[in-house]
Amino acid sequence: MDSEDLLEKLLEAFYDEKIEPKKEAAKKILGLAARQENLELLISHEQFLSTISRTLRDEHKKSTELTLYLLCVFYIVSNYLEFHQILSEHQIGDITMKIIESQIQRFDLRYAELMEKQGQPQQLQELRKLNLMIAKQEKLFYVGFTILMNMAEDPIIENKMRKRKIITFLLRMLERNNFYLLIVTLLFLKKLSIVNECKMQMVEENCIRKLKRFFSADNNVLLQLSLGVLKNLSFDSEARLQIEQNGFIPDIVKMLKIPNYRFVSIVLLYLLTLDDKIRLTFGFTECMTLVVKLMLHFPEPVIGKELISLAVNLSTSSRNVDHITEQEFQQIVQRAITNSDTLLFRFVKGVIENSTNPEVQTCAKGFVRHFMKLLVTQGKEEDIKFEIIGIMSALDLQENWIKLLNEPFIEFLHNNLAVGMVDDDIVLETMMLVSSIASSQNSAEKLFKSRILNALSQVYCEKGDDDEFVVQYLYCLNQFLFHKIGISQILEQDEILIQIIQQLNDKNKKVKQMSEEVLDILREYDQELCEKIKEIKFGEYNQLWIEHLNEQELMLQDGADMAFEDEYGGNELDPKMWDSDND
């Protein structure tokens, strides 16, 4: 008998009222479907899909074995993308969802019955029945969820599944122990977790807490998939908080030691370090130590973006950078200089700014001339220039600056204060560097002689609407004025003085504070300026009173002095109001 005649005979069995003939027919059809050369015959047959889909819909509650055979047939078909439309037309996704929901309800009911008989003689018998049902269900769940995952390649179908509680069902499967079922469950969750709505639902339904068990299990595949799910979820801030609260961070950090888990762990840890509060937790782990070792032994000249990005985030916390030894820091700086690694320079800057270890500053100072050489020779590379200027600003050189202020370096400072000629970030970073240099009186005097204040004032005039530039200019100016340098020059620049005075009423507290500090120094040398400042401060402190007086004056001019009478009871004053209580 050829395959076509056999198929016709098998399909007739599905019209029998008994279950057993249907089971036998379904088993044989599965055998046919397992051979690839028969698939075209099965799919092209007019009655095949409609018959077995109808049987599956009507009979799935009567026989788990029959349901499993038929689902396996659809499982084979669903592996071919070109057949997905046909499966959708026969509502296979809908039927599969109903089967899974029904089986979960069966389990809940049987489990509740077992709990009721706890301590009774029938408990052992009920437990055996439950375990037998679980074994059958897990095969069915594996096949059912694989069908759904294959069909979810279509975003429209995927969205329909989400609305039908597919995530809730998948999270229930994380409680099971069947290896293959857990694999398909985690694969499906990983696929769905890139969709924002699905991600939010997973977080709300405690998916993260349920993944914790796979970090203690000795199974590489499940652990790898769990890391992938966590990585996708950690793009959400609430998910990152749950990961930290459930104690995942030490476990993930340990994964850095294992090559197979290293890359996904680095990406996951990077995402976790996006939050300031969570970043502090890393200080209680060996994460910084491991990351530094990975950077020092990175095989390529330029460190991979994922690894260096994690390192840069960690470097913003002193608790993390204090794990770095002086020798490691020296090797890192040397590597950055040798390979001109921009992001590694950024990491170096973060370490210098946040380390509480004085040896780090000492070590960094030993590379100052190397940094200056890079600024001069590679000055056209904006990214490297930005990072190195930041490093130089973070160094506490104080009186040592005077030894470094040679003509090429001063020219470099002037060139990078030219708004429009270089990037604004470079200009701002250069202003910070000038502030750092001007903390030393001798250095400030040398810079002043090079007319650096003219360049700074030009920046201030052109970028006066940007609070960052304003604050940095005022801080620079304050550094010079503190050493009594450039006072007469600033006092002669009326336009700048007026602008600083106006900033006494600025909404930005930092701008207002710095303006006050600058003017407090300048007014000691200019009586007229001192009076102007007093007048402005008087107006600020008595603003409400002045506004009230102005209103009354306008009202009197318009002949509307009745408002004054209403408030104070008339224009005539009662002499008795001035009498003391003793009289």
Side-chain angles (χ1 to χ4, degrees):
M1 186 182 295
D2 62 12
S3 298
E4 189 170 354
D5 293 336
L6 177 61
L7 180 60
E8 290 287 351
K9 185 177 180 181
L10 292 174
L11 289 176
E12 289 177 7
F14 289 102
Y15 293 94
D16 198 308
E17 292 184 1
K18 297 179 181 179
I19 289 292
E20 285 303 319
K22 295 178 183 178
K23 284 164 56 175
E24 286 300 317
K27 185 177 181 180
K28 290 178 180 179
I29 287 176
L30 177 58
L32 286 174
R35 301 178 64 180
Q36 191 173 2
E37 60 268 23
N38 293 327
L39 275 178
E40 187 176 352
L41 169 66
L42 295 174
I43 297 298
S44 60
H45 193 282
E46 289 183 4
Q47 301 299 321
F48 172 68
L49 286 174
S50 57
T51 301
I52 63 172
S53 61
R54 173 186 55 78
T55 304
L56 185 62
R57 182 188 302 109
D58 297 342
E59 310 287 350
H60 72 85
K61 291 185 179 180
K62 298 178 182 178
S63 171
T64 302
E65 191 175 352
L66 172 62
T67 303
L68 183 58
Y69 286 143
L70 294 178
L71 280 178
C72 284
V73 174
F74 289 119
Y75 163 78
I76 293 170
V77 176
S78 71
N79 285 318
Y80 298 89
L81 188 62
E82 57 267 32
F83 296 147
H84 285 188
Q85 181 61 35
I86 299 173
L87 293 176
S88 297
E89 290 171 0
H90 289 84
Q91 299 182 326
I92 301 306
D94 175 67
I95 297 170
T96 306
M97 288 286 288
K98 287 179 179 177
I99 291 170
I100 289 172
E101 185 174 13
S102 173
Q103 290 294 328
I104 290 175
Q105 289 172 352
R106 277 188 65 199
F107 170 80
D108 290 341
L109 184 61
R110 184 65 62 84
Y111 185 78
E113 290 175 356
L114 176 65
M115 291 297 101
E116 288 176 2
K117 294 179 181 179
Q118 196 168 14
Q120 298 180 14
Q122 303 96 324
Q123 182 184 359
L124 186 59
Q125 184 180 358
E126 288 295 324
L127 182 60
R128 287 173 182 167
K129 288 181 181 179
L130 179 63
N131 287 333
L132 183 62
M133 186 186 75
I134 288 173
K136 290 181 179 180
Q137 277 191 341
E138 286 178 347
K139 293 177 184 178
L140 190 147
F141 285 141
Y142 169 78
V143 176
F145 280 117
T146 304
I147 293 170
L148 294 175
M149 183 171 65
N150 290 340
M151 295 185 68
E153 293 296 326
D154 184 341
I156 296 174
I157 295 176
E158 181 183 85
N159 190 45
K160 288 180 179 178
M161 291 181 187
R162 179 182 64 81
K163 293 178 180 178
R164 292 277 298 275
K165 299 182 180 179
I166 184 67
I167 292 172
T168 302
F169 298 155
L170 285 168
L171 294 181
R172 288 292 303 271
M173 296 304 106
L174 292 178
E175 301 165 4
R176 302 283 179 135
N177 294 317
N178 184 280
F179 174 66
Y180 298 103
L181 174 59
L182 289 172
I183 286 179
V184 74
T185 300
L186 289 169
L187 280 171
F188 205 169
L189 285 171
K190 185 180 178 182
K191 180 182 185 301
L192 292 172
S193 61
I194 64 175
V195 180
N196 191 51
E197 291 83 359
C198 297
K199 186 192 307 175
M200 291 173 62
Q201 188 177 344
M202 288 181 200
V203 173
E204 289 172 2
E205 297 189 20
N206 296 315
C207 171
I208 292 169
R209 179 176 55 80
K210 292 181 178 181
L211 293 174
K212 183 70 175 176
R213 60 180 290 214
F214 302 116
F215 281 78
S216 56
D218 187 20
N219 192 293
N220 296 342
V221 177
L222 297 180
L223 178 54
Q224 187 82 32
L225 290 171
S226 299
L227 286 168
V229 176
L230 285 178
K231 183 194 73 174
N232 291 347
L233 292 177
S234 61
F235 283 90
D236 178 77
S237 58
E238 178 61 30
R240 294 196 291 269
L241 183 61
Q242 286 191 22
I243 290 171
E244 193 266 341
Q245 290 174 341
N246 283 280
F248 277 92
I249 291 178
D251 294 329
I252 300 169
V253 168
K254 290 177 184 176
M255 298 298 108
L256 293 174
K257 300 176 182 179
I258 307 172
N260 289 342
Y261 306 131
R262 188 169 292 153
F263 180 77
V264 67
S265 298
I266 288 171
V267 175
L268 177 52
L269 291 171
Y270 162 72
L271 292 168
L272 292 172
T273 56
L274 293 176
D275 295 334
D276 293 339
K277 292 182 179 178
I278 297 177
R279 204 178 297 158
L280 296 174
T281 306
F282 286 83
F284 299 101
T285 70
E286 55 180 341
C287 187
M288 188 80 259
T289 303
L290 293 173
V291 167
V292 168
K293 288 179 179 177
L294 289 173
M295 289 195 296
L296 291 175
H297 294 92
F298 199 81
E300 301 296 328
V302 176
I303 294 172
K305 289 184 179 180
E306 295 81 9
L307 178 58
I308 191 60
S309 298
L310 170 59
V312 168
N313 283 358
L314 291 173
S315 71
T316 59
S317 166
S318 58
R319 189 178 289 170
N320 288 313
V321 297
D322 284 345
H323 286 277
I324 302 173
T325 66
E326 183 184 1
Q327 183 181 3
E328 287 174 335
F329 181 69
Q330 187 172 3
Q331 291 174 338
I332 287 170
V333 177
Q334 188 62 59
R335 181 181 176 117
I337 294 171
T338 302
N339 299 314
S340 297
D341 190 336
T342 303
L343 291 177
L344 191 53
F345 278 121
R346 184 175 299 178
F347 173 73
V348 170
K349 180 174 70 173
V351 174
I352 294 171
E353 288 176 339
N354 297 293
S355 178
T356 60
N357 184 359
E359 293 179 353
V360 168
Q361 276 280 346
T362 304
C363 179
K365 289 174 186 177
F367 290 95
V368 168
R369 296 196 181 277
H370 293 84
F371 295 143
M372 292 179 66
K373 184 178 179 181
L374 279 173
L375 286 176
V376 175
T377 58
Q378 301 188 21
K380 293 182 180 179
E381 297 184 24
E382 298 288 309
D383 292 339
I384 290 182
K385 184 200 298 185
F386 176 81
E387 302 302 342
I388 297 177
I389 293 173
I391 291 172
M392 298 283 283
S393 302
L395 292 175
D396 185 20
L397 293 171
Q398 298 181 0
E399 296 301 328
N400 291 321
W401 274 117
I402 193 65
K403 301 173 185 177
L404 303 170
L405 287 178
N406 52 35
E407 189 173 335
F409 185 59
I410 293 175
E411 183 182 354
F412 170 85
L413 295 176
H414 278 270
N415 291 339
N416 286 281
L417 288 172
V419 176
M421 301 298 292
V422 293
D423 192 79
D424 282 356
D425 289 337
I426 300 286
V427 176
L428 192 61
E429 204 72 25
T430 305
M431 293 174 76
M432 295 180 187
L433 177 56
V434 171
S435 299
S436 179
I437 297 171
S439 62
S440 161
Q441 183 168 352
N442 293 333
S443 302
E445 288 174 355
K446 192 165 184 177
L447 285 178
F448 176 72
K449 290 175 183 178
S450 74
R451 299 186 178 181
I452 198 81
L453 278 182
N454 292 341
L456 290 168
S457 298
Q458 185 65 31
V459 174
Y460 178 60
C461 292
E462 294 188 29
K463 306 295 290 184
D465 56 343
D466 190 319
D467 285 351
E468 278 191 274
F469 280 90
V470 171
V471 170
Q472 200 52 51
Y473 169 76
L474 292 171
Y475 184 72
C476 274
L477 189 57
N478 190 56
Q479 293 288 75
F480 283 96
L481 298 179
F482 178 78
H483 300 300
K484 298 181 173 54
I485 299 171
I487 293 174
S488 58
Q489 180 178 331
I490 296 299
L491 289 174
E492 291 170 3
Q493 297 179 350
D494 292 339
E495 183 181 345
I496 288 178
L497 277 178
I498 291 170
Q499 197 165 340
I500 296 175
I501 290 171
Q502 289 174 345
Q503 286 165 184
L504 288 173
N505 295 322
D506 199 279
K507 293 179 181 178
N508 187 316
K509 292 182 179 179
K510 194 65 179 175
V511 171
K512 183 178 177 180
Q513 178 189 341
M514 289 308 305
S515 299
E516 287 178 351
E517 290 183 16
V518 168
L519 291 172
D520 281 345
I521 296 174
L522 290 174
R523 68 180 181 177
E524 295 179 13
Y525 300 90
D526 190 319
Q527 187 61 34
E528 186 179 344
L529 177 63
C530 183
E531 294 301 322
K532 283 183 182 179
I533 295 170
K534 283 182 180 179
E535 183 180 338
I536 289 173
K537 287 192 173 183
F538 177 82
E540 180 186 359
Y541 292 135
N542 299 280
Q543 185 178 0
L544 293 175
W545 180 70
I546 291 172
E547 286 176 0
H548 180 70
L549 287 181
N550 290 337
E551 287 175 8
Q552 296 302 326
E553 186 177 347
L554 288 172
M555 291 167 68
L556 288 171
Q557 287 175 357
D558 295 339
D561 54 341
M562 290 301 295
F564 186 84
E565 294 178 11
D566 290 341
E567 187 173 353
Y568 295 99
N571 288 328
E572 294 184 4
L573 298 177
D574 184 359
K576 293 181 181 180
M577 69 181 289
W578 304 106
D579 293 343
S580 66
D581 294 337
N582 296 327
D583 293 340

